[in-house]
Amino acid sequence: MNLDQIAAVVMFLLLLTMVIGGVHLAFSLMFIGVLFGVLFQGPAIFPMSMLQVFDVMESEILIAVPLFVFMGTILEKTGVAEKVYQGLYELFGPLRGGLAIATIATCTIFAACTGVIAATVTTMSLLAIPSMLKRKYDKGLATGVICAGGSLGILIPPSVMLVMYGPLANLSVARLFAGALFPGLLLSALFLTYILIRSWLRPETAPALPVGERPPIGLKLIRNTGLLMLPSFFLIVAVLGSIIAGIASPTEASGVGAFCALVLAVSYRKLTVKSVKEAAHTTLIVTAMVFFIIVGAGIFNVVFLYLGGGVLVKNALMSLPFGKWFILATMMFILFIGGFFISWQGLLYMLVPIFLPVVTELGFDQLWFALLVCVNLQMSFLTPPFAYAIFFVKGASPPEITTWDIYRGVIPFVILQAIGLFICIVYPEIILWLPRVTLGGGR
Amino acid sequence: MKVLGYIDKISGWTGMVAAWIIIPLTFVVIYEVVMRHFFNAPTGWGYDTLWMLYSAQFLMGGAYTLLKKGHIRIDIVYNTLSPRGKLFFDAMIYAVVFLPLMILFTCAGVRFAAEAWATNEKLSTTNWFFPSGPIKTIIPIAFFLLSLQSLAELIRNISTILKGKRS
């Protein structure tokens, strides 16, 4: 190791200390980047930083981020999730574990309408936790289901995470969206299977609706459920369908989605100046937070790579024994462990850029690897102490739910997510089939 | 502290302007989509307008997001500090990390924008060739607003610490 490379190691460790220590992620990245830039490159770091800012500004694809966030926050206010849940609640209620099933199904549908997890998790906590507690569901199961289901919001496209991954790895966001659909549905199916088996074995933890409260089964019930779900399906086809079919770019679709959400809000008579203003402000905060991280990571990574940090990590990983699958497993394990302490944005922007050259060197498919990372990061939402989904559920649930209930509840779901990740590694076609069929080869 | 109130108001006001940009952003995308897919006549100015709107939004929103504590931080270690410890820690972050960095970026931004104005530089992203000066000017403005808000947060923390001592 030469002096520059030692500096790169120190740089990364300092960043890690600052971030874990509680300094804002975006500004830690900028600060460490500029500090080492000044030390090793001189004042040239400042015009270079401005170019990084301008680079992020000029990006066509990133325009989709605020629009997808806005779409999600407007949808949250329209109450479509409530309607879907109400329909599925009646449909699945008579089954053991029915409310948990309805919750996962609602989360999956809502995930295909929104690109962030906050909207899904908060809405579903307020909606489903009281109804599950009322039916004497196990508290761990009730909260675990929402944490796991809600996290699907950022995996199942449209997804802000995928929009951010695209420019980072020079991949087409449309292909990422197409690739993410089946892994997302796979996780959802694993969750459902687990709930069915668990509530069949231990019905007292997830009882069916009492006979008196069940709606009569028949055409009317199915028609009702269908009608309640229609607007969401329309939205999914318009936004997701047009991207995956290759008709519209993700940016175009995000604008159409935001517009459709506004139209939906008008038709439900939920569109007021106040609700739009709230949604616009929430969108601004999420957007600015994310973009300052992107700018900070850009500055950090330029200096880190200049010092030879990338080569260093690459050499270290490539020198591992037991071949390429062990190296892949190591990278996945680092992401998993990082997920306990660092937010997904941090993992994405700190680790992915240094992993990418290794992936190329090993001859793995970049699209496939991207989706493995995103499935892996699903676990980071559930693994404490730093776990987004748990924060949101805790914040939105009644006081009788303790943090311990939630911790206990998420464990089986983290295991299920790990199984899902393993399946995606063993059967890469789950990821690669849809983008190849609808969007052809290439990147 | 009167200054504090003023700065918070400036950030709040610029935040409100930035937040509402999402509406024109949505409608410009729709207009562009309709022109392109239904009339086969994409506009020349659409894409440039879009990215200028979106970048103005997130840049101008930086200070507001700081005011609203929206910039993400990992609080697992931070939460173990006492309320007083948190105030000291935050004051240190604002004094050492935020304030110097944002002031330096403001200066760098002024140079970056001044160069665009002086050379009458045009945007090269499309064939519209709109001057690049105006949008580049947003960069120093954004970092200046962030410097102000960092200063406000610093003052707020210090004055709370001092108040705590007196009572």
Side-chain angles (χ1 to χ4, degrees):
Chain A
M1 275 208 291
N2 56 33
L3 184 68
D4 279 4
Q5 286 177 330
I6 294 171
V9 174
V10 174
M11 191 180 172
F12 192 82
L13 291 178
L14 267 180
L15 176 72
L16 211 59
T17 317
M18 268 178 95
V19 170
I20 304 263
V23 184
H24 309 66
L25 178 60
F27 297 88
S28 307
L29 285 159
M30 283 184 211
F31 182 75
I32 297 286
V34 168
L35 184 68
F36 280 74
V38 168
L39 287 176
F40 289 87
Q41 288 171 299
I45 184 71
F46 290 105
M48 202 228 52
S49 299
M50 293 304 116
L51 281 176
Q52 284 294 323
V53 176
F54 199 61
D55 226 37
V56 177
M57 291 165 68
E58 276 187 317
S59 157
E60 188 203 352
I61 189 68
L62 291 173
I63 300 171
V65 172
L67 289 167
F68 277 135
V69 175
F70 186 60
M71 174 186 169
T73 45
I74 287 286
L75 278 182
E76 197 184 341
K77 301 203 182 294
T78 58
V80 278
E82 281 88 337
K83 292 207 159 40
V84 173
Y85 183 66
Q86 191 191 332
L88 294 172
Y89 174 99
E90 291 186 352
L91 195 64
F92 292 117
L95 287 175
R96 280 178 189 172
L99 301 188
I101 292 171
T103 304
I104 293 286
T106 309
C107 284
T108 309
I109 294 169
F110 204 51
C113 301
T114 64
V116 283
I117 80 155
T120 324
V121 174
T122 315
T123 311
M124 290 312 294
S125 300
L126 295 172
L127 217 62
I129 291 182
S131 70
M132 284 196 270
L133 290 184
K134 204 169 125 202
R135 309 285 168 218
K136 301 271 177 292
Y137 268 54
D138 175 64
K139 285 178 195 158
L141 178 65
T143 48
V145 158
I146 291 170
C147 288
S151 301
L152 290 173
I154 206 157
L155 177 63
I156 295 180
S159 148
V160 168
M161 189 192 275
L162 296 170
V163 174
M164 287 159 69
Y165 198 109
L168 192 64
N170 209 3
L171 287 168
S172 133
V173 173
R175 297 175 64 83
L176 284 167
F177 275 19
L181 190 62
F182 284 119
L185 294 178
L186 169 72
L187 288 186
S188 175
L190 286 171
F191 299 159
L192 289 175
T193 316
Y194 165 74
I195 294 165
L196 278 173
I197 296 174
R198 177 190 157 128
S199 49
W200 182 65
L201 292 174
R202 295 169 60 196
E204 72 284 359
T205 61
L209 283 184
V211 180
E213 289 179 38
R214 293 177 195 176
I217 296 168
L219 268 181
K220 193 159 166 263
L221 174 67
I222 293 173
R223 208 187 59 202
N224 254 344
T225 313
L227 276 179
L228 289 171
M229 305 213 308
L230 204 61
S232 323
F233 278 114
F234 163 72
L235 207 63
I236 294 172
V237 170
V239 176
L240 214 49
S242 64
I243 299 173
I244 293 183
I247 300 168
S249 76
T251 307
E252 290 175 327
S254 67
V256 174
F259 183 72
C260 289
L262 285 171
V263 171
L264 212 61
V266 170
S267 67
Y268 284 149
R269 296 169 202 285
K270 290 275 170 62
L271 196 81
T272 58
V273 174
K274 188 171 161 271
S275 65
V276 177
K277 192 181 156 192
E278 277 172 17
H281 276 79
T282 313
T283 306
L284 177 68
I285 290 180
V286 175
T287 310
M289 180 266 281
V290 161
F291 280 97
F292 274 84
I293 293 173
I294 300 181
V295 168
I299 296 170
F300 177 88
N301 280 325
V302 166
V303 179
F304 185 73
L305 296 179
Y306 170 84
L307 292 174
V311 181
L312 194 69
V313 176
K314 187 176 140 194
N315 291 345
L317 280 170
M318 293 304 289
S319 68
L320 286 173
F322 315 123
K324 66 177 189 176
W325 295 103
F326 184 74
I327 299 174
L328 181 75
T330 310
M331 290 192 282
M332 288 296 137
F333 187 69
I334 294 172
L335 280 170
F336 171 70
I337 295 298
F340 283 80
F341 308 102
I342 301 174
S343 70
W344 66 269
Q345 299 98 330
L347 293 171
L348 199 62
Y349 281 99
M350 283 157 62
L351 293 177
V352 169
I354 55 182
F355 283 168
L356 288 179
V358 182
V359 176
T360 313
E361 181 96 7
L362 293 174
F364 288 128
D365 188 297
Q366 288 283 3
L367 181 70
W368 175 69
F369 182 77
L371 270 311
L372 293 186
V373 170
C374 293
V375 172
N376 193 318
L377 289 185
Q378 284 284 295
M379 293 188 276
S380 78
F381 293 103
L382 308 194
T383 45
F386 194 83
Y388 265 126
I390 296 179
F391 288 163
F392 290 129
V393 168
K394 186 78 186 71
S397 55
E400 70 239 51
I401 303 255
T402 64
T403 308
W404 181 243
D405 287 326
I406 310 180
Y407 283 2
R408 183 169 55 86
V410 297
I411 296 169
F413 291 97
V414 174
I415 297 172
L416 290 168
Q417 288 166 335
I419 295 173
L421 176 63
F422 185 73
I423 296 176
C424 289
I425 293 175
V426 179
Y427 300 102
E429 282 297 285
I430 295 172
I431 292 166
L432 298 174
W433 180 77
L434 188 61
R436 192 177 57 234
V437 170
T438 62
L439 299 164
R443 302 195 82 172
Chain B
M1 275 300 199
K2 243 186 182 164
V3 185
L4 215 59
Y6 286 135
I7 297 179
D8 286 357
K9 244 183 215 148
I10 293 173
S11 295
W13 188 79
T14 49
M16 195 183 69
V17 174
W20 282 108
I21 291 180
I22 194 73
I23 303 295
L25 191 64
T26 307
F27 283 95
V28 175
V29 177
I30 293 293
Y31 184 79
E32 181 78 11
V33 167
V34 171
M35 290 314 276
R36 184 193 301 261
H37 289 279
F38 296 99
F39 297 101
N40 206 13
T43 62
W45 48 268
Y47 165 54
D48 278 334
T49 312
L50 278 180
W51 75 253
M52 285 196 272
L53 280 172
Y54 121 93
S55 49
Q57 187 208 23
F58 87 79
L59 283 170
M60 300 286 284
Y64 176 77
T65 306
L66 186 60
L67 172 70
K68 294 287 169 185
K69 310 222 174 303
H71 287 292
I72 180 179
R73 60 197 297 190
I74 290 158
D75 52 9
I76 44 184
V77 178
Y78 179 75
N79 277 342
T80 61
L81 298 174
S82 67
R84 223 177 134 66
K86 281 181 186 166
L87 287 170
F88 270 110
F89 184 73
D90 281 345
M92 195 186 71
I93 292 179
Y94 291 122
V96 176
V97 177
F98 278 75
L99 207 49
L101 194 63
M102 291 303 109
I103 291 173
L104 285 168
F105 274 10
T106 309
C107 300
V110 168
R111 273 197 197 167
F112 188 68
E115 209 175 280
W117 285 104
T119 58
N120 203 12
E121 190 190 60
K122 302 277 190 280
L123 293 175
S124 53
T125 34
T126 60
N127 292 329
W128 190 35
F129 301 122
F130 190 76
S132 68
I135 191 64
K136 285 190 174 177
T137 308
I138 304 273
I139 301 176
I141 294 176
F143 286 118
F144 178 67
L145 290 169
L146 266 162
S147 314
L148 274 185
Q149 193 57 47
S150 310
L151 182 67
E153 298 298 327
L154 179 62
I155 297 172
R156 205 192 320 275
N157 275 294
I158 292 177
S159 70
T160 319
I161 293 171
L162 293 179
K163 257 184 224 152
K165 230 175 215 166
R166 251 178 271 140
S167 63

